Amino acid sequence: MIWHGECQNSLQFGTHRATNSAAGQARLGSLEMAAIDRKSRTPLALAWRRLKNLFHPDVTVTKAPPGLHADWDVPVAMRDGVTLRVNVFRPEGEGRWPVIMSAHPYGKDRIAAKSRSGRRLDFQYRLCPQPDPISLSDLTSWEAPDPAVWVPRGYCVINADLRGCGTSGGVGDPFTALEANDYCDLINWAGTQPWSSGRVGLDGVSYLAISQYEGAAVKPAHLAAICPWEGFSDLYRDFFRPGGIREDGFSIIWSRGMSRRRIRTNLRSEVIKHTERDAWWQERTPSLESIDVPMLVCGSFSDHSLHTRGSFEVFRRAGSSRKWLYTHRSGKWSTYYGNDATETRMGFFDHVLKGLDNGWAERPAVRLAIHDIGSDPVAVTGEESWPPSDLDWRSLWLDARSGSLTSTRPDAEASVAFDLPDGCCSYLWTVPEDLDLIGPMALRLHFELRRGDDAFLFVGVRKLRGGVETRFEGSMGFSGDMVSKGWQRLAHRDLDDELSTEMQPVHMHDHAEPLRPGEIRPVTIALLPHATRFLKGDQLQIDIRGRWHYPRDPLRGQFPIFYQPSP
């Protein structure tokens, strides 16, 4: 492969001068502390973290408090006569309360209270270490709200088995209109029960967020709000084939797990069969523009390989006029069950479901967490939009002669050749002042292939301080992640003009256009959103390669994440 430096090759991104708040100044001067944190993120330290967590996960399971009434396996009839089943947790005694509901395919009864020991953890907590401790009750379903937290605060909590899953009947079809209609029926059933106030909110992580888009898009009468906490919204672009490149790690494990349930579709077979984003994918993509209820979206900077892109797309494109965004770069589960996120979600639902005047209406639209290193933010700001409206958008040019990123376009022709899939070329920019890089990024290059007619590109953005990479929290409990990354199949170059912006390109992926021998073609690569602090003298490094950045093994790499390498 050859990329040509005489063409207009550039990296574009948004910056803001680093905050001068007291908290920001305290962290900015703490380079010694940052160096200590870097030692904890060496390959050996990452492997030890995984092994230690496998045997001693930092998760505490507590017994639910008294005063909580539970109804197990309550039957709910769907419009076609199939019966789904739900667990209902509510305050004891007579009353009407707003409802927080979750629906998923993983089994609503997989809770510690029903395990043999009475305190058994889900095994995924052992596989994916979290940066902070987790505490939840023995009534908490996988990635769902904790009834022991919500019921004492005056809510009913409902966990539902979707069609074909757990104790529910029928045969399911994930991500389809059938599932959306089932969720609609569940919501309207919950809104008409004698213990319900008639106002239903949706909450939950991952699939429990994804199912919210489907349910909300069909506009159930009793749906009053949703809180999708990290969930992809486009199966093709976000998860199974980002950039047109097939994910060959977690998606295989997840698809095998789903195949053990009563569902119509072998997802892995369909992913292999449908290489382009055709009707099969489009039928399983929710209409985000149809969502019009108030919403609190969690957009994580630490889940680039699964939920990051889709979460930010939901906030960007949802039709709701009342929407808020909560960002972080910490652990998925430790954040969701942590105090700050729990109180934020409680404030949102207290306002939109209970009608409390708690100051939520005056809250900034975006909670923006900015990170210098690791999982703890150096600043948290309130913004009125995403990306923030006052960013300074910049362009850096790739200089093929010096291997650097420059503020002016090189005036001499040059090109760089590297082998696929194992080759790599890198470019450095030394940051001239303290800056916060915020938002999505776009990389524009020109390529020629000497062998073959297609290639898969993997682009990584790294941060170096004192010549040592600064690492961040990433997908699947991987704490050695880079700043941002992007994927792109060269034969999928066409952009979706309706969804794309200059800083956020969105590709069509509806047909392949191979390169001809000797042909030089432009390609634009979308790099995922982040909010990262760079100090003067830090370096930003761009890596361009033909295979995934990390090894596949569970101790040194981002297991089980992996992608099909370039041919």
Side-chain angles (χ1 to χ4, degrees):
M1 165 176 282
I2 301 176
W3 81 259
H4 290 265
E6 71 271 17
C7 304
Q8 297 183 17
N9 301 295
S10 64
L11 172 70
Q12 294 179 295
F13 53 90
T15 67
H16 194 281
R17 190 177 301 275
T19 178
N20 289 320
S21 67
Q25 288 179 336
R27 299 289 183 123
L28 279 173
S30 189
L31 298 184
E32 181 178 355
M33 183 171 66
I36 294 173
D37 191 72
R38 280 188 290 186
K39 292 179 182 178
S40 70
R41 293 168 186 273
T42 63
L44 182 61
L46 297 178
W48 170 244
R49 181 183 188 233
R50 292 265 192 193
L51 285 172
K52 180 182 177 182
N53 189 76
L54 184 64
F55 296 101
H56 301 289
D58 198 359
V59 182
T60 302
V61 180
T62 61
K63 186 173 178 58
L68 187 154
H69 178 84
D71 294 313
W72 304 93
D73 268 347
V74 179
V76 183
M78 300 294 100
R79 64 189 67 182
D80 62 357
V82 170
T83 297
L84 305 190
R85 294 188 179 274
V86 304
N87 294 336
V88 180
F89 306 94
R90 54 185 174 86
E92 289 183 337
E94 300 295 324
R96 292 179 177 269
W97 302 277
V99 174
I100 304 294
M101 176 178 275
S102 301
H104 56 90
Y106 302 131
K108 66 183 183 342
D109 298 321
R110 287 175 55 192
I111 59 176
K114 289 199 170 189
S115 68
R116 182 174 301 177
S117 67
R119 291 293 182 272
R120 188 176 63 190
L121 287 174
D122 190 291
F123 192 66
Q124 293 182 73
Y125 284 124
R126 299 181 181 274
L127 292 178
C128 301
Q130 300 290 284
D132 297 299
I134 299 174
S135 178
L136 40 78
S137 82
D138 57 1
L139 297 179
T140 308
S141 292
W142 177 245
E143 298 187 321
D146 185 348
V149 171
W150 291 84
V151 172
R153 300 281 287 266
Y155 288 91
C156 298
V157 173
I158 298 179
N159 288 318
D161 280 331
L162 288 169
R163 184 180 295 241
C165 304
T167 59
S168 288
V171 177
D173 200 359
F175 312 111
T176 64
L178 175 64
E179 192 166 87
N181 289 334
D182 283 350
Y183 211 167
C184 177
D185 291 349
L186 288 169
I187 292 165
N188 288 333
W189 173 86
T192 56
Q193 299 308 297
W195 34 258
S196 171
S197 70
R199 297 181 65 77
V200 179
L202 310 181
D203 191 14
V205 181
S206 191
Y207 201 107
L208 284 69
I210 298 162
S211 59
Q212 294 180 46
Y213 314 143
E214 306 163 355
V218 296
K219 304 181 187 301
H222 288 275
L223 181 62
I226 65 173
C227 182
W229 202 268
E230 298 191 44
F232 61 73
S233 54
D234 188 313
L235 271 71
Y236 189 102
R237 292 172 171 138
D238 299 344
F239 175 36
F240 283 110
R241 288 185 174 272
I245 301 170
R246 192 178 69 228
E247 206 281 338
D248 275 349
F250 176 66
S251 66
I252 297 176
I253 297 172
W254 186 81
S255 298
R256 286 174 180 169
M258 290 291 288
S259 68
R260 291 195 289 268
R261 293 158 175 83
R262 301 183 306 279
I263 62 174
R264 296 177 182 174
T265 306
N266 184 314
L267 291 170
R268 178 63 180 176
S269 296
E270 296 299 326
V271 169
I272 294 173
K273 183 189 305 181
H274 298 275
T275 57
E276 271 71 58
R277 192 175 178 274
D278 55 18
W280 188 88
W281 296 100
Q282 294 171 30
E283 290 169 0
R284 288 160 177 77
T285 303
S287 172
L288 303 181
E289 291 77 10
S290 298
I291 301 174
D292 58 9
V293 295
M295 59 194 306
L296 170 62
V297 179
C298 176
S300 162
F301 301 130
S302 51
D303 207 12
H304 284 160
S305 291
L306 190 56
H307 293 314
T308 296
R309 182 191 179 278
S311 299
F312 282 93
E313 279 295 277
V314 170
F315 182 75
R316 178 169 82 114
R317 291 169 47 197
S320 174
S321 60
R322 300 171 63 197
K323 52 188 177 182
W324 292 266
L325 176 66
Y326 184 106
T327 72
H328 73 89
R329 187 150 200 179
S330 189
K332 181 182 301 180
W333 308 316
S334 60
T335 298
Y336 179 73
Y337 291 110
N339 290 334
D340 187 75
T342 298
E343 290 303 316
T344 299
R345 287 155 45 228
M346 192 75 70
F348 169 69
F349 282 124
D350 280 351
H351 178 66
V352 297
L353 296 187
K354 294 183 176 180
L356 298 184
D357 185 9
N358 59 2
W360 185 271
E362 290 74 45
R363 182 187 179 96
V366 178
R367 184 252 196 202
L368 177 59
I370 301 169
H371 288 256
D372 178 57
I373 188 171
S375 60
D376 294 328
V378 291
V380 177
T381 67
E383 309 290 342
E384 293 304 327
S385 63
W386 174 262
S389 58
D390 60 347
L391 293 183
D392 175 21
W393 294 101
R394 302 187 179 193
S395 294
L396 295 176
W397 303 90
L398 278 69
D399 188 336
R401 296 168 300 172
S402 63
S404 63
L405 296 160
T406 65
S407 57
T408 57
R409 189 168 70 182
D411 56 6
E413 295 185 2
S415 62
V416 173
F418 62 99
D419 293 330
L420 294 176
D422 297 318
C424 176
C425 59
S426 300
Y427 297 86
L428 282 172
W429 177 51
T430 301
V431 180
E433 59 181 323
D434 295 352
L435 291 174
D436 293 332
L437 271 63
I438 299 171
M441 309 167 76
L443 181 64
R444 293 174 169 85
L445 303 171
H446 290 74
F447 277 98
E448 174 191 351
L449 293 177
R450 284 186 172 173
R451 293 190 301 270
D453 58 5
D454 198 4
F456 302 157
L457 298 183
F458 298 86
V459 177
V461 181
R462 303 180 188 271
K463 173 184 165 184
L464 307 179
R465 176 169 292 163
V468 179
E469 183 176 0
T470 296
R471 300 178 186 269
F472 301 89
E473 198 68 23
S475 297
M476 306 294 170
F478 178 61
S479 61
D481 207 8
M482 59 182 69
V483 171
S484 181
K485 56 186 73 73
W487 306 251
Q488 192 57 48
R489 180 183 172 189
L490 282 186
H492 281 193
R493 298 182 298 278
D494 287 356
L495 296 177
D496 185 323
D497 294 332
E498 183 177 343
L499 294 180
S500 294
T501 68
E502 183 178 4
M503 297 308 304
Q504 187 171 348
V506 178
H507 291 80
M508 295 292 292
H509 300 298
D510 58 353
H511 71 284
E513 187 179 351
L515 274 71
R516 295 187 296 270
E519 181 181 27
I520 301 173
R521 297 301 300 268
V523 61
T524 302
I525 303 163
L527 301 174
L528 290 168
H530 66 99
T532 308
R533 174 153 297 170
F534 284 76
L535 303 182
K536 181 178 180 180
D538 287 349
Q539 290 181 306
L540 181 151
Q541 177 175 308
I542 294 286
D543 292 339
I544 306 167
R545 63 176 73 236
R547 66 165 61 244
W548 184 233
H549 306 278
Y550 301 106
R552 195 169 197 162
D553 70 80
L555 295 182
R556 297 178 301 126
Q558 198 176 15
F559 181 83
I561 298 296
F562 197 71
Y563 297 88
Q564 182 182 13
S566 194

